[in-house]
Amino acid sequence: MNGTDDSGSGGPRRRSDTTRNAILAAARERFAADGYERATIRAIAKDANIDPSMVMRYYGNKEGLFAAAVTVDLKLPDLGSMPRDEVGRALVAHFLDVWEQNDELTALLRVGATSQAGAERMQRVFRDQLLPVTRLVCPDPEQVPTRAALAATQVLGLALTRYVLRLQPVMALGRGEIVAWLGPTIQRYLTAPSP
């Protein structure tokens, strides 16, 4: 048997990978075009030229599919290259930019709050992107995970109340006000001596 024969041991796996990739590609396009709320499993399956049951087989539900399909790059600034006493304000300003320009991130926050797959995706973003930049400014390497998690409570709380729940007092705050309120808190979490 040659390596391209689908009846061989690699055949079903290759078909499975091809199907998964087609579903993910269709899902990314559909979520980008329609947004999370309006995108449907049926439309994604149609775009991928497969039966909707295959989407469910591989991803369980729309939340699982979204968590697998969405690519989140926070494009965090290099905290090590800026004055240490400015990192809190810089991070808050950066996160405001990210949340306001990326509807997928807001949708992922919604999914993360309601599904295991979404929560796991948010945890990977935290681990792969926020932890490394926190290491650059944290005074104690052993406290990096705790300090990064505390910073995440603030930026995720802001995102939840401003972009998902849309609490009016938070919505009414201007960018400068948010940076002024949250910047010192993030700064303390990341760089202050341990309490």
Side-chain angles (χ1 to χ4, degrees), residues 88-89 92 154-155 157-158 177-187:
R89 291 177 187 276
V92 173
Q154 299 301 302
V155 294
L158 170 65
E177 291 174 293
I178 293 171
V179 171
W181 278 103
L182 288 184
T185 300
I186 299 294
Q187 182 75 38

Side-chain angles (χ1 to χ4, degrees), residues 23-140:
I23 293 168
L24 290 176
R28 286 183 188 109
E29 289 182 24
R30 182 61 63 175
F31 286 130
D34 295 348
Y36 177 77
E37 298 299 329
R38 290 193 335 245
T40 65
I41 293 289
R42 188 170 299 284
I44 292 165
K46 182 178 178 188
D47 294 346
N49 295 316
I50 60 163
D51 188 86
S53 66
M54 294 300 289
V55 177
M56 304 301 281
R57 174 181 171 193
Y58 289 121
Y59 298 102
N61 54 32
K62 184 168 135 179
E63 292 85 1
L65 174 60
F66 182 78
V70 71
T71 302
V72 176
D73 183 356
L74 298 176
K75 297 179 179 150
L76 292 168
D78 179 5
L79 300 183
S81 68
M82 66 179 57
R84 191 177 177 93
D85 62 344
E86 294 179 16
V87 297
R89 291 177 187 276
L91 269 181
V92 173
H94 179 78
F95 273 107
L96 282 170
D97 289 342
V98 169
W99 289 107
E100 290 174 6
Q101 296 171 10
N102 190 336
D103 291 336
E104 283 185 343
L105 194 54
T106 302
L108 184 58
L109 180 61
R110 284 189 188 106
V111 170
T114 59
S115 85
Q116 183 62 31
E120 288 170 0
R121 184 69 179 107
M122 289 295 282
Q123 290 163 9
R124 281 194 305 274
V125 169
F126 168 81
R127 181 187 65 240
D128 297 344
Q129 297 181 48
L130 188 56
L131 283 176
V133 299
T134 302
R135 278 189 189 92
L136 298 174
V137 296
C138 180
D140 181 350

